[in-house]
Amino acid sequence: MQEIDFQSALKTNVFTLGQLHLEAYGNRIFVVEDEFRSGYECSNCGGKGTMPCIDCRGSGVETCDNCKGSGESSLVPGAKCTQCKGEKTKVCSACEGSRTEVCPGCGGKGGLLVVPEASVRRPTTGTIVSIGWRVNNRAIKLWAWLIGKKIVEHGQSVMYTSFSGHVYELELPDGGQIVIRVIQEDDIISRVRGHLELRRVKKTQALGSAA
């Protein structure tokens, strides 16, 4: 998934995806769900399976060999290079313009262990991007301040139960997908620092079981 700019949502309470604008209403809270993490992702590529091309540094182009980056013909003074047409660069021969290459650490698998689809669980952590007006109105803020209760804020990373609220899968403008979960304040279990991984969850379950 591409990096998402949360700054506009944090300032305006409106989460924007291309032509789509989302704003929480009433007592709803919109959370952008974290990506699934098994804990076995390749440390080299972060589980993506690809890395920025080393030859072109992810630009997709490289210096033209014919004109050495001058853009001019070495045979005819003042004329454009016949290979790059004066552009000074050409498509990267290593990545063929894709800007990426297969990760040498995992061979494109994305991890040292591939988790079966049946074992993939929906993440239960995410980032708050929009808050309904009933969640943090003035009276609630004052009451929270008086009793020392923490209020819900934009940009917070929170944890919730697997069956909380409603889930919407949305397409990103340039491809890929994000998941918006619509929850209520009571669905939030705790704030989160870091990333919850399937491997850690399984270890916790094992420690708490009689097995």
Side-chain angles (χ1 to χ4, degrees):
M1 184 178 73
Q2 71 172 30
E3 292 294 326
I4 300 174
D5 181 13
F6 291 102
Q7 294 306 311
S8 61
L10 303 187
K11 294 177 181 178
T12 65
N13 198 43
V14 177
F15 185 60
T16 303
L17 285 175
Q19 300 299 316
L20 180 64
H21 304 276
L22 301 172
E23 183 174 8
Y25 181 78
N27 62 347
R28 268 64 172 194
I29 299 171
F30 289 176
V31 176
V32 173
E33 207 165 69
D34 292 335
E35 292 183 90
F36 172 78
R37 295 285 295 273
S38 68
Y40 298 97
E41 284 79 13
C42 173
S43 59
N44 208 28
C45 64
K48 296 179 180 179
T50 59
M51 297 182 63
C53 176
I54 296 177
D55 287 34
C56 65
R57 297 183 180 180
S59 67
V61 296
E62 60 184 14
T63 303
C64 176
D65 295 327
N66 189 50
C67 65
K68 308 299 181 184
S70 68
E72 299 178 354
S73 172
S74 58
L75 301 177
V76 183
K80 294 181 179 180
C81 171
T82 55
Q83 287 191 18
C84 68
K85 309 299 181 184
E87 296 296 328
K88 301 182 181 181
T89 58
K90 64 177 182 177
V91 175
C92 175
S93 56
C95 68
E96 298 181 347
S98 68
R99 303 185 180 187
T100 60
E101 62 181 17
V102 175
C103 173
C106 63
K109 296 178 181 179
L112 304 178
L113 178 67
V114 179
V115 178
E117 187 174 348
S119 298
V120 173
R121 300 184 180 185
R122 183 171 292 283
T124 54
T125 57
T127 303
I128 296 175
V129 294
S130 186
I131 303 170
W133 64 271
R134 287 177 57 188
V135 177
N136 281 343
N137 59 38
R138 291 182 179 179
I140 292 178
K141 285 185 177 181
L142 177 60
W143 171 74
W145 178 77
L146 289 172
I147 67 172
K149 178 184 176 183
K150 295 186 180 297
I151 62 174
V152 177
E153 296 177 341
H154 294 87
Q156 285 181 345
S157 182
V158 294
M159 180 188 295
Y160 40 84
T161 63
S162 301
F163 304 102
S164 297
H166 304 279
V167 176
Y168 298 92
E169 298 180 352
L170 303 176
E171 299 295 327
L172 294 170
D174 61 346
Q177 187 181 76
I178 67 167
V179 177
I180 296 286
R181 188 184 284 264
V182 182
I183 63 175
Q184 297 184 21
E185 187 174 9
D186 290 342
D187 294 323
I188 297 175
I189 299 173
S190 70
R191 294 186 183 184
V192 177
R193 290 186 178 89
H195 204 301
L196 191 64
E197 298 174 349
L198 178 62
R199 180 165 57 175
R200 292 180 182 176
V201 172
K202 285 189 174 295
K203 284 182 179 180
T204 303
Q205 290 174 341
L207 289 172
S209 67

